[in-house]
Amino acid sequence: MVFVRAIREADFLLYTDALSKIVPWFFALDHTHYSRWVSIHLRDMVSLKELNPDVYAEFLKGNFVVKKSRRAFSAVAIDQAHEQNNASVKGDGGAVGLTENPAALCRWMVSGPEMARLIREFEISTEKRQYTDVRHHKQKRHAQMAFAQDVRSLSQVMEEMGNPFTERSSDLLVLDSRDVMDTAVSDTVRQMEKLGLEKYETYVEERLVNQTVPITDPIKRNNLHLFSRPPVREMSRKQLQMSSLKNDCSLFSRLYIASQIRHGDLDEFFQHENQACPPSLSQMGGLRTGTKSDLMPCLENLVPVKDDLSTPRVEVSILDGAAIINMLRPGTAKTFQGYATDVFVPYVTSQLQHVDRLDIVWDLYVADSLKADTRSKRGKGVRRRVEPTSAVPGNWQEFLRIDKTAWGTWTTYGDVTPAFSALGNMPDPRAIDEWMGPLERFVVLLYDRTSTEEGVNQARKQLFSKEG
């Protein structure tokens, strides 16, 4: 807005000051052509006072722009004036067809501007009224009334949705939908101006002052996380598996060939891990995890079945708040207030009919914990500030971002359940040696459900020879 004001008011000092504020943003946002040439243009304009005082004096008078009328705030930049003149010269038909005839094109190029000037002078001389009002059209009554109405509408929106200037949190959010931007985008907004200023100063110092780097050298891009350029999502599990398999195949091939050339023992070769992260514990570089609810079929055999299936009388009931939110869909609720009033509260009230006290617990994802690591693997949905007037997201599951996996291996190999139970009750070396067989068989089935091997080393060798 300051740059537009400098052009419209023909204020040269304000023009150079606005350019000096804009150029760092060109560098930050990777507009390389603007970054390269606007920096040179700005340096030329600032140097005019010493290198060409006469031109500098004319620019101070406002002669660096074009004034086509006497109205206030109506000057235009030279390139914009050229475009307007080109539109007048082309007329209704434009230059269509003239480019195929060089002689006609030359006649049009010579006579076109002069014809446009004559037509414009004729239109001015035939005007019945001479306009003496030099006010800008935005200063007239109807424009001011419309602007006042816009101000009142904005004030009303702030009263309904909350004044954004009283926001004390560090979140960057959309006023109407209350969607919270990603942390990387918020960091970009805070650091963008400083980063652009540093790159601009470095560019001027290296290429214009010291001239140690050519102007035509490429300008390194920042690739910042922006609203239209969200953070790059991680590769899918299938893509990671394919990449891991290719790397494993190449690694094992080289090691296998080296072992044969050096007459190594293949059995000893396959007893060692050949990866930075053991696949038995790691999944694509992260901790191998599962879903807690999938443990229930594996543990059902450990719980005795009671003949009496009636509901016992209890005084206190504890509910998982996150599970309730995932279970109860918004339905026809439009806002979070409606969801709480029409869906969540009635369900909680119905649970109070059977107990004297009801507690609702919520998960807390502490940093550097297993729960936080699991949460990060589920991905990031659209964050939204949960307020009474905030609209309920259309995709409820994406908003919650709960992904499911299955522990089918444990279900098919129930012999490992006593091993886990024994190690959980008595984790000593004797118990580990006693239950190592079922544990190794369980790990083998994790790799290949059809394998008949009992040991991990033998299974590794078999899988390598079978899958290459």
Side-chain angles (χ1 to χ4, degrees), residues 353-467:
Q353 298 177 359
H354 309 288
V355 294
D356 299 331
R357 172 182 167 181
L358 181 66
D359 294 341
I360 301 178
V361 297
W362 303 87
D363 289 335
L364 178 62
Y365 295 95
V366 182
D368 299 328
S369 64
L370 293 178
K371 294 176 69 66
D373 179 70
T374 303
R375 183 69 172 179
S376 64
K377 292 179 181 179
R378 293 171 181 167
K380 296 181 180 180
V382 179
R383 293 181 58 203
R384 178 164 298 188
R385 180 74 63 82
V386 180
E387 296 179 352
T389 57
S390 299
V392 173
N395 193 332
W396 186 249
Q397 288 302 113
E398 183 181 357
F399 174 65
L400 300 176
R401 294 299 298 175
I402 301 297
D403 296 333
K404 297 295 182 182
T405 57
W407 285 27
T409 304
W410 194 340
T411 306
T412 58
Y413 184 62
D415 294 343
V416 77
T417 302
F420 285 144
S421 178
L423 292 176
N425 296 329
M426 187 179 57
D428 56 30
R430 290 179 300 174
I432 295 176
D433 294 337
E434 180 181 355
W435 295 103
M436 183 56 68
L439 291 178
E440 285 203 44
R441 175 60 181 165
F442 176 70
V443 173
V444 170
L445 292 178
L446 284 176
Y447 283 99
D448 186 3
R449 295 281 185 89
T450 63
S451 177
T452 58
E453 299 292 342
E454 297 291 335
V456 174
N457 297 334
Q458 295 82 359
R460 185 187 290 119
K461 182 177 179 180
Q462 180 194 36
L463 292 175
F464 175 76
S465 61
K466 181 175 66 174
E467 301 179 6

Side-chain angles (χ1 to χ4, degrees), residues 300 302-313:
E300 286 179 352
L302 301 179
V303 180
V305 180
K306 295 183 178 180
D307 297 333
D308 185 10
L309 300 179
S310 60
T311 303
R313 173 60 183 172

Side-chain angles (χ1 to χ4, degrees), residues 240-250 467:
L240 290 173
Q241 289 177 347
M242 290 296 297
S243 177
S244 177
L245 288 175
K246 291 179 181 179
N247 295 334
D248 292 347
C249 183
S250 176
E467 301 179 6

Side-chain angles (χ1 to χ4, degrees), residues 324-333 339 342-344 392 394-397 400:
I324 297 176
I325 295 298
N326 279 273
M327 181 179 63
L328 302 177
R329 300 297 182 91
T332 59
Y339 176 76
D342 302 333
V343 181
F344 187 79
V392 173
N395 193 332
W396 186 249
Q397 288 302 113
L400 300 176

Side-chain angles (χ1 to χ4, degrees), residues 141-180:
R141 179 176 176 80
H142 69 279
Q144 292 294 311
M145 293 178 62
F147 178 73
Q149 179 61 35
D150 293 339
V151 173
R152 287 192 292 269
S153 300
L154 179 61
S155 301
Q156 183 179 359
V157 170
M158 287 185 177
E159 292 176 357
E160 294 176 354
M161 297 186 175
N163 189 347
F165 300 103
T166 60
E167 180 70 34
R168 296 184 178 181
S169 69
S170 58
D171 294 334
L172 182 64
L173 51 89
V174 183
L175 290 180
D176 56 347
S177 65
R178 314 304 286 177
D179 288 347
V180 182

Side-chain angles (χ1 to χ4, degrees), residues 5-225:
R5 177 184 176 184
I7 295 293
R8 295 300 178 88
E9 294 183 350
D11 190 336
F12 183 69
L13 296 179
L14 185 61
Y15 171 78
T16 56
D17 182 70
L19 274 183
S20 64
K21 299 295 192 303
I22 294 175
V23 173
W25 292 91
F26 290 150
F27 281 91
L29 297 174
D30 297 332
H31 296 291
T32 54
H33 295 300
Y34 283 105
S35 302
R36 178 178 288 111
W37 300 115
V38 174
S39 301
I40 298 174
H41 171 69
L42 177 59
R43 184 172 176 81
D44 292 340
M45 295 298 101
V46 174
S47 304
L48 275 179
K49 186 175 182 180
E50 298 178 358
L51 301 179
N52 201 329
D54 296 337
V55 176
Y56 180 75
E58 291 296 325
F59 280 5
L60 287 180
K61 296 177 183 179
N63 293 328
F64 70 100
V65 293
V66 177
K67 301 177 182 178
K68 305 182 70 172
S69 69
R70 295 183 299 165
R71 295 183 182 275
F73 206 75
S74 60
V76 295
I78 296 177
D79 57 340
Q80 185 178 355
H82 285 169
E83 294 295 335
Q84 294 178 356
N85 288 337
N86 291 339
S88 300
V89 170
K90 291 179 180 179
D92 295 335
V96 178
L98 295 176
T99 56
E100 300 178 359
N101 190 336
L105 180 61
C106 291
R107 289 195 298 270
W108 176 79
M109 292 174 62
V110 174
S111 62
E114 190 65 18
M115 293 293 294
R117 182 185 64 83
L118 292 175
I119 294 173
R120 179 58 182 164
E121 291 180 356
F122 176 76
E123 291 176 349
I124 294 176
S125 63
T126 56
E127 289 182 355
K128 295 182 179 180
R129 294 187 302 169
Q130 296 293 330
Y131 295 96
T132 58
D133 190 0
V134 296
R135 293 181 301 168
H136 190 266
H137 66 275
K138 291 292 185 180
Q139 292 179 287
K140 296 182 179 180
R141 179 176 176 80
H142 69 279
Q144 292 294 311
M145 293 178 62
F147 178 73
Q149 179 61 35
D150 293 339
V151 173
R152 287 192 292 269
S153 300
L154 179 61
S155 301
Q156 183 179 359
V157 170
M158 287 185 177
E159 292 176 357
E160 294 176 354
M161 297 186 175
N163 189 347
F165 300 103
T166 60
E167 180 70 34
R168 296 184 178 181
S169 69
S170 58
D171 294 334
L172 182 64
L173 51 89
V174 183
L175 290 180
D176 56 347
S177 65
R178 314 304 286 177
D179 288 347
V180 182
M181 296 296 102
D182 192 85
T183 306
V185 178
S186 302
D187 295 339
T188 296
V189 173
R190 296 187 185 96
Q191 303 173 5
M192 187 187 307
E193 185 175 7
K194 180 181 178 182
L195 175 63
L197 183 60
E198 292 175 354
K199 295 199 65 175
Y200 167 62
E201 292 175 349
T202 303
Y203 179 88
V204 172
E205 185 71 21
E206 293 179 350
R207 310 193 186 201
L208 302 181
V209 178
N210 298 331
Q211 299 182 359
T212 56
V213 179
I215 294 176
T216 56
D217 270 17
I219 300 176
K220 186 177 180 180
R221 302 176 66 90
N222 301 312
N223 294 325
L224 299 176
H225 300 302

